[in-house]
Amino acid sequence: MNAPRRVVITGTGLVTALGTGTEKSWQGLIKGQSGIVRQTRFEKGPLKVDIAGQVPDFDAGAWMDKKEARRMDLFCQYALAAAEMAMQESKLPVGQDKANGYDPTRVGVIVGSGIGGLMSFEESHTTGMTKGWDRLSPFFILKMIANMAPGRISMRYDCKGPNWGPVSACSTSAHAIGEAYKSIRFGETDACFAGGSEAVVTPMGIGGFEAMRALSTNTADPAKASRPFDKNRDGFVMGEGAGIVVLEELEHAKKRGAAILAEVVGYAANSDAYHETQPAPEGEGAVRCMKLALQSAGMKPEDIGYINAHGTSTPFNDMNETKAIKTVFGEHARKVMISSTKSMTGHMLGAAGGAEAIVSTLVLNRGIIPPTINYETPDPDCDLDYVPNTAREVRVDAVMSNSFGFGGTNAVLILKRFKA
């Protein structure tokens, strides 16, 4: 068997509540801005929750033909836009410049969504109920199913390698990046688009999570509602958007002179096997996953300078993630910097891990740690360094990005500042 290959990130694409574009989102994050607002998609009605991390400036027509856009759900539009951003930054020559060794049959797309086209599902249900089921659009199923995001990306860029979309709740896009990393590392592909997309700021999306009592009802000041690790946290805030990277095998990237943003060096996935929504006691599953990721990277806990936490702003998650970090990192837990960017973007569900992997990449690249905003009242159960409220200029060499989802699914990525 050939030796495992090194895998690097050469392109990023972000669509978040802080804006469309990687740079716009990053600038909002390091300034500690909140993207949480009163949602404008539908009338609140009897729902208690009317806030969300809604993308404020997305124009599908800037990224695709308007006729093409009408055939896609919003989550798919976000995915295609983020993939285009990543492609533009990476300048990956797939399908264009085979002299650089890029065979389209060895370029994959692994892009997931936790829920898929819920907006299209709701609109089509209304059409069926009011006008008749024979009036449904022929594009209804294609707009709804989650794998149309990677399908559309593969068609746009002539990617003929693996083309699929994981569905693992809030771990979805971290799993996508991890599986793409493995695909390249072990020689199945030479490059991959990877990440996730989500757009479920809809009556059923918010209503469903509200019924689970998972959402913050502290809606008087939307910007203050998402408060990870704060004693007064009371639930997550729904977010939306996409986070997609271009991953490449190192030698291919070097051969074409690509700018290398970071190196993916570790990945692990496992299960709590405990409860549908609650994390395992003491964060036991997260502990195992973080340890496995460190083992995968050949690193010790003290090698990690920053953790982009799952940090959902729910009472159980934040407490258990803190316990898990203490268990894994020991004395170093008091020194490692931790932040939850969900305090600003909201919880992007299936897109969260992809967006946060990009944030982790930029941390390595820019030497700035984004803060956890709204951290006002310390919680004795959450007593680590969460980089409260203000970004911190610190150069770190390695970061960990945690993603934990309903169903007990866990994924952890480790990225490193690239060194030749």
Side-chain angles (χ1 to χ4, degrees):
M1 181 177 177
N2 293 330
R5 308 188 303 171
R6 293 173 69 181
V7 182
V8 295
I9 296 173
T10 58
T12 63
L14 268 179
V15 179
T16 76
L18 293 166
T20 300
T22 299
E23 195 61 34
K24 189 177 287 189
S25 293
W26 173 250
Q27 290 300 320
L29 290 170
I30 62 175
K31 290 173 185 174
Q33 295 176 350
S34 173
I36 311 303
V37 297
R38 299 209 181 280
Q39 63 82 18
T40 57
R41 296 266 166 76
F42 61 92
E43 292 296 325
K44 172 185 171 184
L47 291 174
K48 295 177 183 176
V49 177
D50 62 346
I51 62 172
Q54 184 175 315
V55 177
D57 60 350
F58 185 74
D59 175 13
W63 304 99
M64 65 204 75
D65 179 82
K66 291 184 177 180
K67 181 179 179 181
E68 182 184 21
R70 286 195 297 271
R71 297 179 175 184
M72 295 183 214
D73 186 89
L74 185 58
F75 91 94
C76 202
Q77 295 176 9
Y78 286 161
L80 210 57
E84 177 64 22
M85 294 171 206
M87 181 68 161
Q88 289 178 6
E89 183 175 31
S90 174
K91 300 180 175 63
L92 188 73
V94 62
Q96 304 164 22
D97 183 5
K98 294 181 182 177
N100 277 317
Y102 279 86
D103 177 354
T105 65
R106 292 185 56 79
V107 180
V109 184
I110 305 178
V111 172
S113 178
I115 296 176
L118 186 61
M119 189 177 294
S120 295
F121 183 89
E122 292 183 37
E123 290 170 353
S124 296
H125 182 265
T126 298
T127 297
M129 292 294 289
T130 57
K131 299 180 180 179
W133 299 107
D134 59 342
R135 300 293 298 277
L136 294 181
S137 165
F139 297 103
F140 161 53
I141 296 296
L142 298 177
K143 291 171 76 172
M144 183 186 71
I145 55 178
N147 78 297
M148 285 310 296
R152 290 275 185 183
I153 294 167
S154 71
M155 287 182 276
R156 172 173 281 198
Y157 302 114
D158 192 32
C159 303
K160 297 181 178 179
N163 161 21
W164 60 284
V167 179
S168 51
C170 313
S171 298
T172 293
S173 48
H175 278 131
I177 292 173
E179 294 302 316
Y181 159 72
K182 286 168 62 177
S183 173
I184 297 168
R185 182 168 171 77
F186 297 112
E188 183 182 48
T189 56
D190 293 327
C192 237
F193 290 85
S197 184
E198 204 79 84
V200 292
V201 180
T202 70
M204 289 183 72
I206 290 182
F209 281 110
E210 181 180 303
M212 294 175 66
R213 300 182 182 178
L215 298 181
S216 172
T217 57
N218 183 20
T219 62
D221 183 352
K224 295 281 189 179
S226 183
R227 46 184 55 245
F229 305 107
D230 184 88
K231 185 177 181 180
N232 297 317
R233 66 192 184 276
D234 72 330
F236 76 82
V237 176
M238 178 85 78
E240 65 173 4
I244 293 176
V245 296
V246 170
L247 298 177
E248 288 188 67
E249 191 271 326
L250 174 60
E251 294 306 317
H252 281 275
K254 286 167 64 177
K255 182 178 179 181
R256 68 183 188 86
I260 295 171
L261 307 176
E263 183 174 3
V264 183
V265 294
Y267 164 61
N270 73 353
S271 176
D272 285 359
Y274 173 72
H275 190 272
E276 296 100 319
T277 59
Q278 301 292 340
E282 308 297 310
E284 182 273 336
V287 167
R288 285 187 290 110
C289 202
M290 284 189 276
K291 285 182 175 179
L292 287 167
L294 286 166
Q295 181 181 332
S296 166
M299 287 184 172
K300 303 183 293 295
E302 52 267 33
D303 294 328
I304 302 296
Y306 167 67
I307 300 172
N308 188 290
H310 188 54
T312 57
S313 186
T314 60
F316 281 113
N317 175 87
D318 296 2
M319 177 182 68
N320 279 282
E321 187 170 11
T322 297
K323 288 179 178 178
I325 290 169
K326 288 178 179 179
T327 299
V328 173
F329 286 81
E331 292 183 5
H332 188 59
R334 300 284 172 191
K335 300 175 183 177
V336 68
M337 293 170 286
I338 305 160
S339 69
S340 172
T341 44
K342 291 182 178 74
S343 59
M344 295 171 274
T345 64
H347 191 345
M348 294 166 66
L349 306 180
E356 289 157 14
I358 292 172
V359 171
S360 298
T361 298
L362 294 170
V363 164
L364 292 166
N365 219 249
R366 309 286 181 89
I368 305 174
I369 310 293
T372 304
I373 68 167
N374 300 323
Y375 186 84
E376 297 170 347
T377 307
D379 181 344
D381 290 324
C382 299
D383 57 352
L384 299 177
D385 178 6
Y386 305 111
V387 192
N389 302 310
T390 304
R392 200 176 291 173
E393 290 194 35
V394 184
R395 178 72 79 179
V396 296
D397 290 323
V399 302
M400 174 181 283
S401 183
N402 289 340
S403 298
F404 312 129
F406 286 169
T409 181
N410 306 311
V412 174
L413 296 165
I414 296 180
L415 282 65
K416 192 166 76 171
R417 196 141 52 94
F418 174 69
K419 294 178 183 178

